[in-house]
Structure formats: C-alpha cells, structure tokens
C-alpha cells in the first residue's frame, strides 16, 4: 500500500515523531554507511527543534497504513543574501520499506515546497555506490561534488609530532582559542576570516556565498549552543590584529566520543605559512588536554581540496567513506517588474 506523507515542521515536532525519525535514520545509515555511528536520539531531537543559521527547516514523515513511520525528509531553506536560491535535502527511508515509492513520495512533497519558495537549486548528499545514487539519478539530479570523509583515532595520533607542529614558531603570528562565542575583541577579525571560506572547492554546486560579520559569527555560536553542542575554536592571529586562519571543532551533545570538524580556513593573504597545519595540531592537543573523553575526530574534504587532504593525512586521518553531492536545477518564476510612473 502507498505510504502517506505529512508535514511536521518545527518547533512543533512531537517527541514521538522525533523518536520515529531517529529510528528511520539509524536504520538507513546502518544500511548505507555500515560502521558509521548514527546521531543519538537527543541529537536528532535538537536538530529538529533548533533552527539553523539564516535558514528555516521543513520536515515530512511518511507513514504506512499502520501509522509506522517508514521515511523522513528535512528541507533546509537558506535565507541569507547570496544563498536564498538554495535548498538542502536530507532524505532517509527505512531499508525494510524501500522500493515502494516512499522516497519518491517524500521528494514530490519537497519539490512542491521548493517551487512554492522559488528555489533555484536543491542539493543532497548520498553514499557512493549506494541506492541513494540511483535514486538521485532517476529523479533528475546531477552529481556535482565528491567528498572524502576522514576519521582520526586519537589513540593512533603521533603526539610527539603533533606537539612539535603546535609548538612550531610562526613569526608574526600567535595562537588564540575559545569555547563557544568568539571574544568581542576578536569578533570582527573572525568574521573577516570566515569570509575566506567562500573560495572553498564546491565542484559544480550552485552553493552561493555567505557574508560574515561580528553579529553573524555570534549567531552561529548561539545555534550550536542551542542544540546542546560545544563549539571549540583555535585561531592564528597576525601581529597586525587580523585573523589569518582558524579551525573549529564541535562536540555533539550527549557526551559522544566522536568530535565533528567544522570549518578550517586560512585567509588567502596568509597562505603558504603552514597555518592550517598549525591550528589543527593545536586543536588536537587542546582536545587531549581539555576533553579526554573524545576518542576520534571526523572531517570531510572535497576530493579536489588536495591541500587540506594533505594536511589531514599528515595528522593521521584515514579514509572512512566517500559521498557524492547531487544537485537538481529547478525552474524559477521571474521576479515581477516594479511599477513605474
């Protein structure tokens, strides 16, 4: 029998729906990403209840005739200038209920929402060589980017080398670090450095650009904190007061042993001085000292981001899996011509 789809948008996602959502995601990931831990139930609840930065989220659940949730979809609609054409999809179907039209039913609801919001591009991520790839290609998506997902076990780290890298002198630069929101004295410099991420490799994705200022970096930290996660940052500060580069780690709520790498960036004018390796080594040492319960760090890099992959390899990261970013180009309505007198 065909599944039924209903909209369940935050902030009104009931706990029962969040529990069902987690069950579907865990089953889907166990099938498509064997060995990769699924988010904990409290992480799923926080993601559903907490709006993302400069975006809003719509969610759908597909249910069978017995009201069992068989599939879920979350659509993130970006709202900041430079990205307000973009929507990002996460879609999971319980493997026990696949090939019954559930994914197509969810995608149809998602596409209706994208058209209603006049979105130009819809992107989604799927495991390499997985059923998700075939689903994307049948649905008209095109592969736009390949990501290498890397994991570092802290038990395997060569700490002597990491300490040497973190202690290395970088004339004209100093290290700074903080937890949560950036200190006010560094907020403007941090925002300027954040804009360096706009030249990261994105393949053929119509990803747009984000413009950062001090208020926006504070808002980002508030979003992370609102989910119950902990945000750690280590930065390289130039002697003129500008920020030359930084790296961010997020510790998910619930005391999980796996930390998640967020941004690492070096401002173009400061590249070629080993700053990316420097701040990442300092971050690893900080994890060892301040968060001994963390046993691994996960990151991902675009396949053509060879410099950052080399940095991660030197620190001991190994390949865990590969994923592909797919994109669907959507027709948009022309904006009305302003009336003139």
């Amino acid at each position: 029998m065909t599944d039924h789809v209903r909209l369940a948008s935050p902030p009104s996602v009931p706990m029962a729906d969040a529990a069902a959502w987690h069950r579907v995601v865990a089953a889907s990931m166990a099938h498509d990403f064997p060995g990769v831990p699924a988010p904990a139930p409290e992480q799923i609840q926080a993601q559903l209840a907490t709006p993302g930065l400069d975006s809003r989220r719509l969610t759908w659940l597909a249910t069978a005739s017995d009201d069992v949730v068989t599939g879920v979809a979350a659509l993130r609609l970006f709202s900041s200038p430079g990205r307000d054409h973009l929507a990002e999809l996460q879609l999971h179907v319980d493997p026990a209920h696949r090939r019954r039209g559930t994914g197509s039913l969810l995608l149809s609801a998602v596409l209706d929402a994208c058209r209603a919001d006049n979105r130009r591009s819809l992107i989604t991520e799927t495991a390499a060589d997985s059923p998700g790839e075939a689903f994307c290609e049948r649905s008209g998506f095109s592969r736009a980017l390949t990501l290498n997902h890397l994991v570092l076990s802290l038990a395997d780290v060569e700490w002597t080398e990491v300490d040497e890298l973190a202690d290395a002198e970088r004339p004209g630069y100093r290290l700074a670090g903080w937890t949560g929101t950036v200190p006010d004295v560094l907020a403007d410099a941090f925002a300027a450095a954040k804009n360096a991420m706009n030249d990261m490799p994105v393949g053929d994705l119509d990803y747009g650009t984000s413009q950062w200022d001090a208020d926006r970096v504070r808002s980002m930290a508030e979003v992370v904190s609102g989910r119950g996660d902990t945000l750690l940052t280590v930065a390289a500060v130039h002697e003129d007061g500008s920020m030359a580069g930084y790296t961010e780690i997020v510790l998910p709520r619930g005391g999980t042993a796996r930390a998640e790498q967020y941004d690492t960036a070096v401002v173009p004018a400061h590249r070629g001085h080993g700053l990316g390796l420097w701040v990442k080594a300092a971050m690893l040492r900080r994890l060892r000292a301040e968060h001994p319960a963390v046993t691994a760090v996960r990151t991902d890099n675009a396949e053509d981001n060879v410099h950052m992959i080399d940095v991660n390899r030197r620190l001991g990261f190994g390949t865990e899996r590969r994923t592909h970013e797919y994109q669907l180009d959507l027709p948009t309505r022309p904006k009305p011509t302003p009336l003139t007198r």
Side-chain angles (χ1 to χ4, degrees), residues 1 11 54 61 74 85 87 105 107 137 144 160 188-189 220 229 277 290 304 314 319 337:
M1 182 174 291
D54 294 334
L61 299 98
H85 65 283
L105 196 63
L107 180 59
E137 290 165 4
T160 299
D188 288 330
M220 188 272 285
D229 299 342
L277 188 60
E290 299 177 13
D304 56 353
R314 182 168 177 185
T319 299
T337 303

Side-chain angles (χ1 to χ4, degrees), residues 93 138 229 286 341:
V93 177
R138 287 197 307 271
D229 299 342
R286 183 178 175 189
R341 295 183 179 180

